[in-house]
Amino acid sequence: MSHSLSRTLFVGGAAAALIATGAPAQASITVPPDKIVIELATVNGSGCREGTAQVAVAPDNTAFTVTYSEYMAQIGPGAPPTAFRKNCQLNLRVHVPNGFTYAIVQADYRGFGYLQPGATGVERANYYFQGMPQTAQRTHTFTGPFNDNWQSTDKTEYADLVWAPCGEKRNFNINTELRVNPGTSSPNATSFMAMDSTDASVNTLYHLAWATCPTPKA
């Protein structure tokens, strides 16, 4: 089944305060001049088998994107019983320039939904740094009849940002989930929620905030 997509969601909400020694010294007016590098360490989940998720960093270091090519939850004739829910966990190695730390200030997810009357679609997401509490999970629900791009936007206030610990290498984890519930729709009707596309311009966008780290004591 072919479909086009474009949706936005921001995943945010800090789960815990940072340890004082790991907090940034001050907000950075400009982003680091040196290029950041992000590598996919591991990919797990029914919605993103290996080779179907890609990461790219924006040239100006203000964001990075994740593109999926096979991420769709569906119900209806021909759909396996487990296809109503798909999930993906990405574990990223993020290499940032010395003296800087980062946080996710906004995340935009895009997708397309086709929901029969009575059916609902759900998108969930959160993220966290290795060894630190997860951010609050945000849930977005869409109700059928629906046949369109889906979109939702959340923002995290600056004071609530969760920063990568300064001077430590912590992998960054992104958890997402798509789910379709039949509700009162006909059991012979097809409904789906998708977060994939063959169009490279359609992707998940994570906006970065930058800060300078404390100067190490001699």
Side-chain angles (χ1 to χ4, degrees):
M1 184 178 298
S2 61
H3 50 277
S4 60
L5 3 137
S6 80
R7 130 185 171 177
T8 30
L9 144 108
F10 169 81
V11 188
L18 289 176
I19 299 173
T21 55
Q26 63 182 40
S28 178
I29 302 299
T30 59
V31 298
D34 297 330
K35 185 70 174 176
I36 63 172
V37 177
I38 300 179
E39 303 171 344
L40 268 175
T42 60
V43 179
N44 292 296
S46 56
C48 58
R49 64 184 181 88
E50 189 170 358
T52 64
Q54 297 182 338
V55 179
V57 179
D60 59 2
N61 282 349
T62 60
F64 67 90
T65 61
V66 179
T67 303
Y68 303 96
S69 60
E70 294 182 4
Y71 200 167
M72 183 173 70
Q74 61 180 330
I75 57 174
T82 58
F84 77 98
R85 176 187 179 272
K86 292 295 179 72
N87 74 297
C88 181
Q89 178 170 344
L90 304 180
N91 183 271
L92 309 178
R93 295 191 190 99
V94 182
H95 305 276
V96 302
N98 290 333
F100 289 90
T101 184
Y102 72 96
I104 304 299
V105 69
Q106 181 169 322
D108 301 325
Y109 292 75
R110 297 170 172 85
F112 186 87
Y114 179 79
L115 303 172
Q116 297 288 343
T120 58
V122 173
E123 180 275 331
R124 294 190 178 101
N126 70 343
Y127 59 84
Y128 63 97
F129 294 103
Q130 182 180 6
M132 297 177 65
Q134 296 188 9
T135 58
Q137 186 178 73
R138 298 300 176 93
T139 299
H140 301 273
T141 302
F142 303 86
T143 303
F146 187 88
N147 182 19
D148 204 350
N149 300 323
W150 48 266
Q151 174 177 322
S152 58
T153 300
D154 303 320
K155 292 185 178 181
T156 300
E157 295 298 327
Y158 189 86
D160 295 328
L161 293 177
V162 178
W163 298 91
C166 287
E168 299 181 27
K169 291 185 177 181
R170 300 279 188 97
N171 284 9
F172 183 66
N173 295 278
I174 299 171
N175 295 321
T176 57
E177 176 186 336
L178 293 177
R179 183 188 295 263
V180 179
N181 300 310
T184 59
S185 65
S186 169
N188 296 320
T190 295
S191 294
F192 68 83
M193 287 287 290
M195 195 158 58
D196 61 11
S197 178
T198 56
D199 183 352
S201 66
V202 177
N203 47 44
T204 302
L205 182 64
Y206 292 88
H207 302 265
L208 299 170
W210 289 97
T212 55
C213 288
T215 302
K217 295 181 179 179

